[in-house]
Amino acid sequence: VAEGVSADRVCGYMQHTLEQLAEALERAPHTPVRELDILPGAERAYLLEELNRTAAAYPSEQCIHELFEAQVAKAPEAVAVVCAEERVSYGELNARANRLAH
């Protein structure tokens, strides 16, 4: 189970999914499973809206490259990008960007 997701929460997901499946079988037995609302409305709102509220103030007098370089100076070993199995730190990403720029 993913961090921050309790067993009770997962059981709730499963129960809701089974309820949706039972309702679909009664009213539209040929409904593809992918079209079922498997999350309760409150959970869907939490996952799609609340967790995506990431607005934050930032120094608008600086350019994006200056903000990035400040992050590199602050935490060069921190992971900046993840793609499949590859993880690139801020320092490495900055080095790659500088090589490309030169």
Side-chain angles (χ1 to χ4, degrees):
V1 177
E3 186 177 324
V5 179
S6 69
D8 287 340
R9 205 162 165 188
V10 171
C11 286
Y13 297 158
M14 294 301 294
Q15 181 177 352
H16 186 79
T17 300
L18 292 173
E19 290 168 0
Q20 290 294 307
L21 184 57
E23 287 177 22
L25 286 173
E26 286 180 16
R27 65 176 191 271
H30 300 291
T31 301
V33 173
R34 71 178 176 271
E35 292 180 13
L36 298 177
D37 289 327
I38 62 171
L39 290 175
E43 186 70 13
R44 178 181 297 281
Y46 171 73
L47 293 172
L48 297 178
E49 296 171 19
E50 291 299 318
L51 292 181
N52 283 312
R53 291 186 208 275
T54 57
Y58 70 94
S60 59
E61 68 280 353
Q62 289 182 291
C63 295
I64 189 71
H65 72 280
E66 294 170 320
L67 295 170
F68 180 79
E69 289 186 357
Q71 181 63 29
V72 172
K74 188 167 93 175
E77 298 303 317
V79 176
V81 177
V82 176
C83 180
E85 299 299 317
E86 184 179 13
R87 296 178 181 280
V88 180
S89 70
Y90 279 98
E92 176 60 24
L93 185 59
N94 190 48
R96 291 182 188 186
N98 287 336
R99 279 195 301 271
L100 179 64
H102 292 302

PDB file of all heavy atoms in Angstrom, residues 32-47:
ATOM      1  N   PRO A  32     -18.124  -1.011 -20.013  1.00  0.00           N
ATOM      2  CA  PRO A  32     -16.719  -1.363 -19.759  1.00  0.00           C
ATOM      3  C   PRO A  32     -16.296  -0.897 -18.357  1.00  0.00           C
ATOM      4  O   PRO A  32     -16.721   0.167 -17.892  1.00  0.00           O
ATOM      5  CB  PRO A  32     -15.943  -0.587 -20.824  1.00  0.00           C
ATOM      6  CG  PRO A  32     -16.952  -0.240 -21.865  1.00  0.00           C
ATOM      7  CD  PRO A  32     -18.265  -0.115 -21.146  1.00  0.00           C
ATOM      8  N   VAL A  33     -15.484  -1.671 -17.697  1.00  0.00           N
ATOM      9  CA  VAL A  33     -15.030  -1.344 -16.344  1.00  0.00           C
ATOM     10  C   VAL A  33     -14.341   0.018 -16.331  1.00  0.00           C
ATOM     11  O   VAL A  33     -14.479   0.783 -15.375  1.00  0.00           O
ATOM     12  CB  VAL A  33     -14.088  -2.447 -15.806  1.00  0.00           C
ATOM     13  CG1 VAL A  33     -13.465  -2.041 -14.482  1.00  0.00           C
ATOM     14  CG2 VAL A  33     -14.848  -3.754 -15.658  1.00  0.00           C
ATOM     15  N   ARG A  34     -13.638   0.375 -17.393  1.00  0.00           N
ATOM     16  CA  ARG A  34     -12.917   1.662 -17.431  1.00  0.00           C
ATOM     17  C   ARG A  34     -13.858   2.860 -17.334  1.00  0.00           C
ATOM     18  O   ARG A  34     -13.435   3.967 -17.041  1.00  0.00           O
ATOM     19  CB  ARG A  34     -12.051   1.762 -18.674  1.00  0.00           C
ATOM     20  CG  ARG A  34     -12.826   1.923 -19.967  1.00  0.00           C
ATOM     21  CD  ARG A  34     -11.915   2.069 -21.184  1.00  0.00           C
ATOM     22  NE  ARG A  34     -12.686   2.115 -22.387  1.00  0.00           N
ATOM     23  CZ  ARG A  34     -13.052   1.059 -23.117  1.00  0.00           C
ATOM     24  NH1 ARG A  34     -12.665  -0.142 -22.743  1.00  0.00           N
ATOM     25  NH2 ARG A  34     -13.776   1.196 -24.203  1.00  0.00           N
ATOM     26  N   GLU A  35     -15.145   2.654 -17.583  1.00  0.00           N
ATOM     27  CA  GLU A  35     -16.111   3.755 -17.513  1.00  0.00           C
ATOM     28  C   GLU A  35     -16.778   3.885 -16.148  1.00  0.00           C
ATOM     29  O   GLU A  35     -17.589   4.773 -15.945  1.00  0.00           O
ATOM     30  CB  GLU A  35     -17.167   3.582 -18.606  1.00  0.00           C
ATOM     31  CG  GLU A  35     -16.600   3.773 -19.997  1.00  0.00           C
ATOM     32  CD  GLU A  35     -17.641   3.608 -21.099  1.00  0.00           C
ATOM     33  OE1 GLU A  35     -18.851   3.582 -20.803  1.00  0.00           O
ATOM     34  OE2 GLU A  35     -17.221   3.498 -22.268  1.00  0.00           O
ATOM     35  N   LEU A  36     -16.438   3.012 -15.210  1.00  0.00           N
ATOM     36  CA  LEU A  36     -17.018   3.081 -13.875  1.00  0.00           C
ATOM     37  C   LEU A  36     -16.352   4.183 -13.065  1.00  0.00           C
ATOM     38  O   LEU A  36     -15.152   4.429 -13.203  1.00  0.00           O
ATOM     39  CB  LEU A  36     -16.840   1.749 -13.145  1.00  0.00           C
ATOM     40  CG  LEU A  36     -17.515   0.535 -13.757  1.00  0.00           C
ATOM     41  CD1 LEU A  36     -17.177  -0.701 -12.935  1.00  0.00           C
ATOM     42  CD2 LEU A  36     -19.013   0.724 -13.853  1.00  0.00           C
ATOM     43  N   ASP A  37     -17.127   4.836 -12.212  1.00  0.00           N
ATOM     44  CA  ASP A  37     -16.572   5.806 -11.270  1.00  0.00           C
ATOM     45  C   ASP A  37     -16.105   5.025 -10.053  1.00  0.00           C
ATOM     46  O   ASP A  37     -16.899   4.721  -9.158  1.00  0.00           O
ATOM     47  CB  ASP A  37     -17.624   6.842 -10.860  1.00  0.00           C
ATOM     48  CG  ASP A  37     -17.970   7.794 -11.973  1.00  0.00           C
ATOM     49  OD1 ASP A  37     -17.069   8.097 -12.772  1.00  0.00           O
ATOM     50  OD2 ASP A  37     -19.128   8.228 -12.043  1.00  0.00           O
ATOM     51  N   ILE A  38     -14.841   4.663 -10.027  1.00  0.00           N
ATOM     52  CA  ILE A  38     -14.366   3.790  -8.966  1.00  0.00           C
ATOM     53  C   ILE A  38     -14.000   4.534  -7.680  1.00  0.00           C
ATOM     54  O   ILE A  38     -13.803   3.917  -6.650  1.00  0.00           O
ATOM     55  CB  ILE A  38     -13.176   2.917  -9.415  1.00  0.00           C
ATOM     56  CG1 ILE A  38     -11.982   3.776  -9.807  1.00  0.00           C
ATOM     57  CG2 ILE A  38     -13.588   2.002 -10.545  1.00  0.00           C
ATOM     58  CD1 ILE A  38     -10.718   2.985 -10.055  1.00  0.00           C
ATOM     59  N   LEU A  39     -13.913   5.851  -7.747  1.00  0.00           N
ATOM     60  CA  LEU A  39     -13.625   6.634  -6.541  1.00  0.00           C
ATOM     61  C   LEU A  39     -14.871   7.383  -6.091  1.00  0.00           C
ATOM     62  O   LEU A  39     -15.591   7.941  -6.921  1.00  0.00           O
ATOM     63  CB  LEU A  39     -12.519   7.656  -6.809  1.00  0.00           C
ATOM     64  CG  LEU A  39     -11.122   7.128  -7.026  1.00  0.00           C
ATOM     65  CD1 LEU A  39     -10.184   8.269  -7.392  1.00  0.00           C
ATOM     66  CD2 LEU A  39     -10.618   6.413  -5.795  1.00  0.00           C
ATOM     67  N   PRO A  40     -15.110   7.421  -4.786  1.00  0.00           N
ATOM     68  CA  PRO A  40     -16.196   8.268  -4.284  1.00  0.00           C
ATOM     69  C   PRO A  40     -15.916   9.723  -4.668  1.00  0.00           C
ATOM     70  O   PRO A  40     -14.757  10.127  -4.826  1.00  0.00           O
ATOM     71  CB  PRO A  40     -16.130   8.075  -2.770  1.00  0.00           C
ATOM     72  CG  PRO A  40     -15.348   6.821  -2.556  1.00  0.00           C
ATOM     73  CD  PRO A  40     -14.422   6.694  -3.729  1.00  0.00           C
ATOM     74  N   GLY A  41     -16.959  10.512  -4.832  1.00  0.00           N
ATOM     75  CA  GLY A  41     -16.808  11.900  -5.260  1.00  0.00           C
ATOM     76  C   GLY A  41     -15.853  12.713  -4.409  1.00  0.00           C
ATOM     77  O   GLY A  41     -15.028  13.472  -4.929  1.00  0.00           O
ATOM     78  N   ALA A  42     -15.942  12.552  -3.081  1.00  0.00           N
ATOM     79  CA  ALA A  42     -15.067  13.318  -2.188  1.00  0.00           C
ATOM     80  C   ALA A  42     -13.607  12.936  -2.396  1.00  0.00           C
ATOM     81  O   ALA A  42     -12.717  13.787  -2.389  1.00  0.00           O
ATOM     82  CB  ALA A  42     -15.462  13.096  -0.733  1.00  0.00           C
ATOM     83  N   GLU A  43     -13.347  11.647  -2.603  1.00  0.00           N
ATOM     84  CA  GLU A  43     -11.973  11.197  -2.827  1.00  0.00           C
ATOM     85  C   GLU A  43     -11.451  11.686  -4.167  1.00  0.00           C
ATOM     86  O   GLU A  43     -10.304  12.104  -4.293  1.00  0.00           O
ATOM     87  CB  GLU A  43     -11.908   9.668  -2.754  1.00  0.00           C
ATOM     88  CG  GLU A  43     -10.516   9.114  -2.827  1.00  0.00           C
ATOM     89  CD  GLU A  43      -9.678   9.406  -1.592  1.00  0.00           C
ATOM     90  OE1 GLU A  43     -10.232   9.831  -0.558  1.00  0.00           O
ATOM     91  OE2 GLU A  43      -8.464   9.213  -1.663  1.00  0.00           O
ATOM     92  N   ARG A  44     -12.293  11.637  -5.189  1.00  0.00           N
ATOM     93  CA  ARG A  44     -11.908  12.144  -6.511  1.00  0.00           C
ATOM     94  C   ARG A  44     -11.555  13.625  -6.422  1.00  0.00           C
ATOM     95  O   ARG A  44     -10.534  14.070  -6.951  1.00  0.00           O
ATOM     96  CB  ARG A  44     -13.038  11.929  -7.519  1.00  0.00           C
ATOM     97  CG  ARG A  44     -12.729  12.484  -8.903  1.00  0.00           C
ATOM     98  CD  ARG A  44     -13.887  12.269  -9.858  1.00  0.00           C
ATOM     99  NE  ARG A  44     -14.159  10.873 -10.088  1.00  0.00           N
ATOM    100  CZ  ARG A  44     -13.462  10.086 -10.908  1.00  0.00           C
ATOM    101  NH1 ARG A  44     -12.448  10.587 -11.588  1.00  0.00           N
ATOM    102  NH2 ARG A  44     -13.757   8.825 -11.062  1.00  0.00           N
ATOM    103  N   ALA A  45     -12.381  14.398  -5.723  1.00  0.00           N
ATOM    104  CA  ALA A  45     -12.111  15.831  -5.564  1.00  0.00           C
ATOM    105  C   ALA A  45     -10.798  16.049  -4.818  1.00  0.00           C
ATOM    106  O   ALA A  45     -10.000  16.906  -5.190  1.00  0.00           O
ATOM    107  CB  ALA A  45     -13.265  16.508  -4.835  1.00  0.00           C
ATOM    108  N   TYR A  46     -10.570  15.256  -3.772  1.00  0.00           N
ATOM    109  CA  TYR A  46      -9.331  15.386  -3.006  1.00  0.00           C
ATOM    110  C   TYR A  46      -8.113  15.121  -3.888  1.00  0.00           C
ATOM    111  O   TYR A  46      -7.168  15.903  -3.913  1.00  0.00           O
ATOM    112  CB  TYR A  46      -9.346  14.426  -1.811  1.00  0.00           C
ATOM    113  CG  TYR A  46      -8.033  14.341  -1.093  1.00  0.00           C
ATOM    114  CD1 TYR A  46      -7.586  15.395  -0.297  1.00  0.00           C
ATOM    115  CD2 TYR A  46      -7.226  13.225  -1.211  1.00  0.00           C
ATOM    116  CE1 TYR A  46      -6.369  15.332   0.352  1.00  0.00           C
ATOM    117  CE2 TYR A  46      -6.004  13.147  -0.562  1.00  0.00           C
ATOM    118  CZ  TYR A  46      -5.582  14.199   0.216  1.00  0.00           C
ATOM    119  OH  TYR A  46      -4.372  14.136   0.845  1.00  0.00           O
ATOM    120  N   LEU A  47      -8.149  14.014  -4.624  1.00  0.00           N
ATOM    121  CA  LEU A  47      -7.003  13.631  -5.441  1.00  0.00           C
ATOM    122  C   LEU A  47      -6.765  14.573  -6.610  1.00  0.00           C
ATOM    123  O   LEU A  47      -5.626  14.909  -6.934  1.00  0.00           O
ATOM    124  CB  LEU A  47      -7.176  12.204  -5.972  1.00  0.00           C
ATOM    125  CG  LEU A  47      -7.133  11.100  -4.917  1.00  0.00           C
ATOM    126  CD1 LEU A  47      -7.508   9.771  -5.545  1.00  0.00           C
ATOM    127  CD2 LEU A  47      -5.768  11.029  -4.260  1.00  0.00           C
TER     128      LEU A  47
END
